[in-house]
């Protein structure tokens, strides 16, 4: 899965980060051709600011469905330090996407948030909205597993997105960190898990993820660097490198 833009990075970071819908569509086409099976797409407003908007997202999904038929299309509910959980949930209910990433830490910012979070997770399950649950650390994965065990998050099969490292660089992404997540997954439940990583070791972390049976999320949302330390020219270049390394 390619994550080409994210909620924060702009052209000051890299000139090829897609900000407009036209650019996201063209990036999706190039990355699909390079070997990406899915896209994790953010939308931005006219000023390049992170946006959650059901109408805008639906318009983009319609265009992507036509431009890259067969590509897995995922939207985000990310707050981007702009939206609260109630707004995130409301917009996803309006959109009712097939696939959406949802961070557990954004749905449950304090214990009293669990009641509304449970209603949201139940709604998604009843409407066949596939949530990929984002967890940023092994301790968050344990919180997720505990929530599933007590029935707060329904289902026996779950999509997970592990975040190895951090955007600000305070936590370094290293391939050996993949096991910190993967080894925690219990055998009695079914998981489809994916991992993203940051910085110059993104590729090596994702190769290790694939080796351990996970899936890889790659792109300029997380890293701009090729395995040899050079700055990538495009998201498609990052996808092509990973495809080659994992062949």
């Amino acid at each position: 899965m390619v994550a080409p833009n994210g909620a924060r990075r702009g052209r000051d970071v890299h000139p090829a980060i897609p900000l407009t819908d036209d650019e996201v569509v063209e990036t999706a086409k190039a990355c699909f051709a390079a070997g990406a099976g899915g896209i994790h797409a953010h939308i931005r407003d006219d000023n390049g600011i992170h946006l959650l908007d059901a109408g805008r997202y639906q318009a983009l999904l319609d265009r992507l469905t036509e431009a890259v038929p067969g590509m897995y299309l995922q939207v985000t509910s990310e707050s981007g330090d702009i939206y609260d959980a109630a707004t995130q949930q409301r917009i996803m209910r309006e959109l009712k996407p097939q696939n959406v990433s949802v961070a557990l830490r954004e749905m449950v910012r304090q214990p009293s948030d669990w009641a509304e979070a449970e209603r949201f997770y139940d709604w998604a399950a009843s409407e066949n909205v596939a949530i990929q649950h984002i967890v940023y650390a092994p301790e968050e994965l344990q919180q997720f597993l505990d929530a599933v065990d007590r029935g707060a998050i329904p289902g026996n099969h779950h999509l997970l997105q592990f975040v190895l490292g951090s955007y600000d660089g305070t936590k370094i992404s290293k391939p050996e960190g993949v096991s910190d997540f993967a080894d925690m997954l219990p055998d009695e439940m079914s998981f489809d898990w994916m991992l993203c990583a940051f910085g110059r070791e993104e590729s090596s972390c994702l190769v290790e993820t694939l080796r351990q049976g996970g899936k890889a999320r790659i792109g300029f949302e997380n890293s701009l660097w090729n395995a040899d330390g050079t700055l990538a020219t495009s998201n498609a270049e990052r996808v092509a490198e990973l495809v080659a390394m994992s062949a």
Side-chain angles (χ1 to χ4, degrees):
M1 178 181 286
V2 64
N5 49 9
R8 293 173 173 82
R9 283 178 164 166
R11 298 270 165 68
D12 57 324
V13 176
H14 197 292
I17 290 180
L19 300 181
T20 68
D21 289 2
D22 286 347
E23 292 165 348
V24 171
V25 170
E26 290 305 310
T27 297
K29 291 163 63 176
C31 291
F32 190 57
I39 182 170
H40 168 80
H42 288 248
I43 53 175
R44 305 287 187 95
D45 67 14
D46 291 341
N47 296 313
I49 304 300
H50 172 63
L51 179 65
L52 294 181
D53 180 275
R56 275 283 314 279
Y57 247 139
Q58 189 59 61
L60 176 61
L61 289 171
D62 290 344
R63 292 184 62 185
L64 288 170
T65 298
E66 181 177 354
V68 281
M71 194 177 199
Y72 182 95
L73 307 179
Q74 183 191 78
V75 304
T76 182
S77 66
E78 184 175 343
S79 73
D81 299 324
I82 297 172
Y83 302 96
D84 61 16
T87 304
Q88 293 169 274
Q89 293 166 16
R90 175 181 57 78
I91 293 170
M92 289 305 112
R93 283 188 170 101
E94 291 174 5
L95 178 61
K96 201 164 75 173
Q98 288 186 327
N99 310 295
V100 59
S101 65
V102 177
L104 179 62
R105 64 164 60 170
E106 292 185 352
M107 293 296 102
V108 184
R109 307 182 194 203
Q110 54 191 8
S112 60
D113 292 337
W114 266 113
E116 285 302 322
E118 288 183 35
R119 280 190 278 272
F120 177 70
Y121 292 131
D122 286 341
W123 166 83
S126 69
E127 295 292 339
N128 294 315
V129 173
I131 292 180
Q132 185 183 52
H133 302 274
I134 305 174
V135 292
Y136 289 84
E139 54 266 29
E140 287 190 19
L141 176 56
Q142 188 59 58
Q143 293 171 11
F144 173 83
L145 295 173
D146 291 344
V148 171
D149 188 58
R150 67 175 186 269
I153 297 176
N156 295 313
H157 176 72
H158 298 281
L159 310 178
L160 295 172
Q161 171 70 56
F162 300 144
V163 181
L164 182 60
S166 62
Y167 285 96
D168 61 10
T170 56
K171 296 180 180 179
I172 305 301
S173 299
K174 295 289 184 181
E176 53 267 28
V178 175
S179 297
D180 293 341
F181 292 98
D183 290 350
M184 291 180 62
L185 297 176
D187 293 335
E188 59 269 22
M189 284 188 279
S190 174
F191 299 95
D192 183 342
W193 64 277
M194 179 176 285
L195 184 138
C196 66
F198 302 88
R200 287 170 168 78
E201 293 212 50
E202 179 188 39
S203 293
S204 58
C205 292
L206 297 182
V207 168
E208 176 62 18
T209 295
L210 296 171
R211 189 190 70 80
Q212 294 198 35
K215 295 178 179 178
R217 195 181 90 175
I218 192 168
F220 284 177
E221 175 172 354
N222 301 111
S223 179
L224 309 172
W225 306 96
N226 293 319
D228 63 3
T230 59
L231 186 68
T233 61
S234 67
N235 280 284
E237 183 177 314
R238 296 295 301 119
V239 171
E241 177 179 85
L242 182 60
V243 169
M245 291 178 68
S246 58

